[in-house]
Amino acid sequence: MAEAALRAMDAVGMDAVGMDAVGTAPLREGLPVLPALRGVLPGGLRPGSPVGLAGRGAASLGLALVAGVSRHSGPDGAGGWCAVVGVPGFGVAAAAAMGAVPDRLLLVDDPGDRWPDVVAALTEAVDLILLDPADRPGGPAVRRLSALARRHGCVLALTGPHAHAWPAVRLSLRLEAVTWHGLADGHGRLTARQADVVAQDHGPARRTRLWFPAADGTVAPVAVPPLEAVVPGGDARVSAGAPAHRPVLLPPAPRPLLSEGA
Amino acid sequence: MTRVLAVWCPDWPATAVGVEAAVPGAAVDRGRIAACTAAARAEGVRRGQRLRDAQRRCPGLVVRERDTGAEGRLFDAVVEAVAELAPRVEVVRPGLCAIPASGPARFYGGEEALRILVQDTVVEAGHDCGSGVADGLFAAELAARAGQGGVVVPEGGAAAFLAPYPLSVLGRPALADLLARLGVKTLGAFAALPSGHVAARFGADGALAHRLARGEEPRPIAPGPATADLSVRAAFDPPAARDEQVVFAAKRLAGDLHGGLAAGGMTCVRLEVGIGFADGHVVHRRWRHDGRLSALAVAERVRWQLSAWRASRPTPGTDEHGVEAPADDDAVWGGVTWVELAPDQLIPDEGSQEVLWGRGTVTDRITRAADRVQALLGHHAVTRPVLTGGRAPGEQVAKVPMGDLPPAGVPEGPWPGRLTGPAPAVVPASPVPAAVADAMGRPVRVSARCAVSAPPATVTLGGESAAVTAWTGPWPADERWWDPPRSRRRARFQVTTDDGNAYLLAVESGQWHLEASYD
């Protein structure tokens, strides 16, 4: 009785538009992703669906998904809310550099074994939850959370050692062919990383080569075809994808409006 | 309005330095007249005049340097004489003291009788004085200076008494000058101005002066004692067995609470909800809210608190004494015997203005979800990140519990030695121990002069080793060296490994740890 009343109240608070009567997936647009990721995720993320992030670069992929929703989602185009559950090391500064708005982030660093309740409470409020389950998710919890996420159109991005135990993850993202730039043997500093972002769902894997992150922290496509600089008098080439130094165009010096003698 | 008797000794700085009232004399402070006797005033000497001008008008002027210490010492005799008649003497400044008049006036047979008695007592003690009785100290001081040795201003007559005085008695030269140019020359004319406009044009100090001119207390009466108990409580007999009863009572209590707060013009920053159970358990929780919590919102929080308490019970079946709990999910085990709502951190209710556009606001939906998580895990479990300044990656983000205000006074840069380049994707809350070895398997060391013993070859984190493909460093960071207990001296390295990872490592007194991972 009480729960029913609460649920009815919540439904009023929610935008119930686009939710059909039988409670299947809401007829909404996909959740937006960063422009650079649209190549591998055309149409964005399907609301209510889980996304698996595994292997090398899972943390950065999580940041990028949060940044995409936080920057480009929301009812008025102002950006959506994201929650990060069980990821105390979430790099807020890096997410902000990718475009996330820290004001619209909720961090639950240590939910412990209450994480299913925490996620259940958050699904109805936020657009995306980045979740690192503290233990192997059980069947009832998965069914309950999946149903809640589908009903409210909230994307669960799963990361961490127990992410693969989540059934029905159709879409998974990973990084391959990672190259770091900027470091050498004892000097330099990390400036950027190039990687193939691979999205795997039912069909063949889609992949795209990205600066992930670029030198300014953003996610940017690698220029294709790679720049070639031909050195006069030689055939040395800049290797594919390496940052090429372009000639710097200086703005013309301002001319004085009136010369002294005029 | 309190009746105040003021005792005013004329030209006290001059009296204190031993100038007889009958001879023209003055106390001088840094070349200007601080006070002069009546005889000198008759010759044309004025307070604030330059000494040279005063001597030109009154060649026989007795000049003494002002001595504030002597003023205070000598005035003690006056205060003691007054204290013989009535206790609780307040010294406003040397030369002026005051007592509350209502009690002594009844004892000595009227305010005029009291005034005469005080004046005679002080004169007997050897000092000329005037004494006056009026509403409030400001009017009483002017009453003491009025007429021949002071007057009694009848109760409620302060405004009429003050009206003819010039604005200079307010002691605010800038305000008086400006008002004079606006054509306002007396306190009466000033008091006639609408107080709202005065406050808008002249600010808090102008409003205070306006209250003085109207013969009112300089500050509005403080609203009610802050220690008043505004908490509300409902008891259940027999104990309430179901959530619904408790929540319904809480809704009614919230209405009472807001009524009590609104009567005092207050609102509360936090609300403490206490629930007592039949078995003696008491569950307290504080709820914080930016705006005012409505009765419905309070009821919801009580419901969450009950459900969180139930969820935290070890087993739903039996408790530690083997007593079986009701199987019904909605029932409250053992029954609730009382609910109490206590306001915390009372502040004046100034109303609240929501942000005009949608950006940056916390919607009700978010607040409700965060409150539910806070009910499960505690107030500090849900945070919002705020980017702040700092050198290390972990110092650049402050996590503010939901509902709290972000920290004020965020330190601004520059931060010399700050890491540049892309920010790391993983910043562990506490540094993770690591091991860094060279090609021979020996630990890599950094000397006090920042020389690296050998290039790092392997990094071991959590039992897994990886070969180093490129590295850079050391970047020394010597922080808070002026504060030995908190000082830290570290050297940072960036390394990439053959499994495609990049790390920010730091070595501090021979121990390596992972500060951040670029993953």
Side-chain angles (χ1 to χ4, degrees):
Chain A
M1 169 65 192
E3 294 294 320
L6 199 64
R7 243 177 262 134
M9 199 162 60
D10 288 348
V12 173
M14 284 281 305
D15 48 343
V17 190
M19 207 179 293
D20 58 11
V22 288
T24 53
L27 306 170
R28 287 213 317 211
E29 297 273 313
L31 274 183
V33 292
L34 290 177
L37 290 174
R38 284 179 196 153
V40 289
L41 296 169
L45 301 168
R46 208 159 66 90
S49 67
V51 180
L53 308 172
R56 195 55 67 211
S60 294
L61 285 165
L63 299 177
L65 291 185
V66 166
V69 170
S70 167
R71 170 64 72 185
H72 301 289
S73 178
D76 51 354
W81 281 78
C82 297
V84 181
V85 179
V87 191
F90 185 79
V92 178
M98 288 184 186
V101 182
D103 284 350
R104 290 194 291 272
L105 283 181
L106 293 180
L107 308 181
V108 184
D109 283 350
D110 186 20
D113 54 0
R114 313 284 305 268
W115 63 265
D117 297 329
V118 171
V119 173
L122 290 171
T123 41
E124 60 191 57
V126 302
D127 299 313
L128 181 137
I129 299 176
L130 179 64
L131 170 66
D132 183 354
D135 45 26
R136 199 182 157 81
V142 168
R143 278 195 295 281
R144 174 173 161 231
L145 295 181
S146 301
L148 277 173
R150 266 199 306 280
R151 197 153 79 86
H152 297 288
C154 170
V155 171
L156 289 180
L158 295 150
T159 179
H162 299 291
H164 65 272
W166 196 278
V169 174
R170 302 252 162 69
L171 174 68
S172 63
L173 294 175
R174 62 179 188 273
L175 291 190
E176 284 181 2
V178 174
T179 324
W180 283 98
H181 291 268
L183 280 200
D185 191 17
H187 57 90
R189 57 188 61 200
L190 277 183
T191 53
R193 168 172 65 177
Q194 266 193 18
D196 280 349
V197 177
V198 183
Q200 177 84 54
D201 53 6
H202 321 283
R206 294 181 298 273
R207 64 174 61 219
T208 181
R209 188 84 178 153
L210 295 180
W211 289 109
F212 200 84
D216 56 354
T218 57
V219 180
V222 174
V224 179
L227 290 172
E228 290 186 14
V230 180
V231 179
D235 59 352
R237 289 179 167 191
V238 175
S239 61
H245 297 279
R246 302 182 191 185
V248 179
L249 290 176
L250 289 173
R255 258 203 336 246
L257 289 174
L258 285 173
S259 59
E260 288 290 314
Chain B
M1 213 59 198
T2 53
R3 300 289 285 167
V4 174
L5 181 143
V7 179
W8 171 70
C9 297
D11 311 324
W12 188 254
T15 312
V17 291
V19 181
E20 289 290 326
V23 300
V28 181
D29 187 17
R30 281 170 291 182
R32 288 186 181 273
I33 305 293
C36 61
T37 59
R41 220 169 2 252
E43 302 269 350
V45 179
R46 293 287 178 270
R47 205 169 67 181
Q49 246 173 2
R50 280 179 17 203
L51 178 58
R52 204 181 300 167
D53 293 340
Q55 280 172 329
R56 183 167 57 79
R57 288 166 196 243
C58 176
L61 190 70
V62 179
V63 177
R64 300 273 167 83
E65 196 65 28
R66 184 176 184 178
D67 183 354
T68 48
E71 286 170 27
R73 270 198 310 281
L74 202 63
F75 196 63
D76 224 33
V78 176
V79 173
E80 265 179 32
V82 177
E84 288 286 307
L85 300 172
R88 295 174 58 196
V89 185
E90 285 176 36
V91 179
V92 181
R93 60 172 186 267
L96 181 69
C97 64
I99 54 172
S102 50
R106 270 200 302 280
F107 185 77
Y108 291 110
E111 290 180 337
E112 180 63 25
L114 172 69
R115 192 188 74 74
I116 301 288
L117 182 66
V118 169
Q119 192 177 14
D120 289 353
T121 310
V122 174
V123 170
E124 274 172 32
H127 297 288
D128 186 22
C129 85
S131 65
V133 182
D135 294 338
L137 180 64
F138 180 68
E141 183 190 346
L142 290 176
R145 299 163 78 149
Q148 294 295 317
V151 295
V152 171
V153 178
E155 201 162 347
F161 167 72
L162 290 171
Y165 277 93
L167 289 167
S168 58
V169 296
L170 285 170
R172 290 169 172 79
L175 179 69
D177 181 49
L178 182 56
L179 286 171
R181 281 185 278 140
L182 292 171
V184 177
K185 294 200 161 53
T186 61
L187 287 185
F190 183 40
L193 298 176
S195 58
H197 292 193
V198 171
R201 173 65 182 80
F202 299 106
D205 191 55
L208 194 132
H210 190 245
R211 293 186 68 84
L212 288 176
R214 290 207 320 244
E216 294 174 7
E217 294 278 356
R219 274 168 220 295
I221 308 294
T227 51
D229 188 5
L230 290 166
S231 60
V232 288
R233 185 180 175 116
F236 300 98
D237 189 19
R242 303 186 68 83
D243 278 9
E244 283 305 294
Q245 274 173 282
V246 183
V247 171
F248 194 77
K251 207 184 288 184
R252 183 175 54 76
L253 285 180
D256 293 353
L257 177 78
H258 284 313
L261 287 174
M266 319 277 267
T267 186
C268 61
V269 177
R270 287 187 301 201
L271 181 73
E272 182 169 331
V273 178
I275 301 175
F277 292 88
D279 59 353
H281 275 95
V282 178
V283 181
H284 278 288
R285 187 142 277 168
R286 283 188 178 163
W287 302 94
R288 190 175 170 124
H289 201 258
D290 286 337
R292 190 183 117 146
L293 283 172
S294 69
L296 197 66
V298 171
E300 246 184 333
R301 278 154 183 79
V302 171
R303 188 199 304 281
W304 295 336
Q305 194 165 328
L306 283 172
S307 61
W309 175 82
R310 196 188 307 113
S312 68
R313 303 284 297 177
T315 54
T318 56
D319 71 352
E320 60 268 29
H321 305 298
V323 182
E324 190 157 338
D328 187 354
D329 194 41
D330 228 17
V332 177
W333 185 84
V336 172
T337 49
W338 54 266
V339 178
E340 187 178 71
L341 307 182
D344 198 16
Q345 282 195 9
L346 294 178
I347 52 169
D349 191 356
E350 291 164 335
S352 66
Q353 171 68 56
E354 302 291 326
V355 179
L356 270 182
W357 311 114
R359 297 180 73 93
T361 55
V362 181
T363 61
D364 286 351
R365 220 155 37 115
I366 298 291
T367 311
R368 208 161 51 221
D371 280 345
R372 290 179 72 169
V373 178
Q374 282 176 336
L376 288 168
L377 303 173
H379 180 65
H380 293 278
V382 185
T383 53
R384 294 170 74 190
V386 178
L387 294 179
T388 63
R391 287 189 185 81
E395 294 167 356
Q396 289 168 8
V397 175
K399 294 180 178 177
V400 182
M402 189 76 183
D404 281 7
L405 297 177
V410 171
E412 286 182 22
W415 299 98
R418 188 173 61 91
L419 289 174
T420 58
V426 181
V427 184
S430 55
V432 180
V436 178
D438 61 11
M440 306 290 288
R442 291 170 307 200
V444 175
R445 301 194 163 279
V446 178
S447 76
R449 288 176 180 268
C450 282
V452 186
S453 63
T458 58
V459 174
T460 309
L461 275 166
E464 291 184 21
S465 293
V468 171
T469 53
W471 65 281
T472 180
W475 298 332
D478 194 1
E479 292 174 348
R480 295 188 180 277
W481 45 264
W482 59 90
D483 185 6
R486 295 172 65 194
S487 67
R488 302 190 68 178
R489 199 174 136 78
R490 282 173 286 187
R492 295 200 172 96
F493 287 74
Q494 279 179 333
V495 301
T496 56
T497 53
D498 58 352
D499 54 358
N501 221 331
Y503 299 111
L504 176 67
L505 297 161
V507 58
E508 184 172 8
S509 47
Q511 300 295 318
W512 286 88
H513 49 254
L514 174 74
E515 276 203 344
S517 162
Y518 290 84
D519 194 25

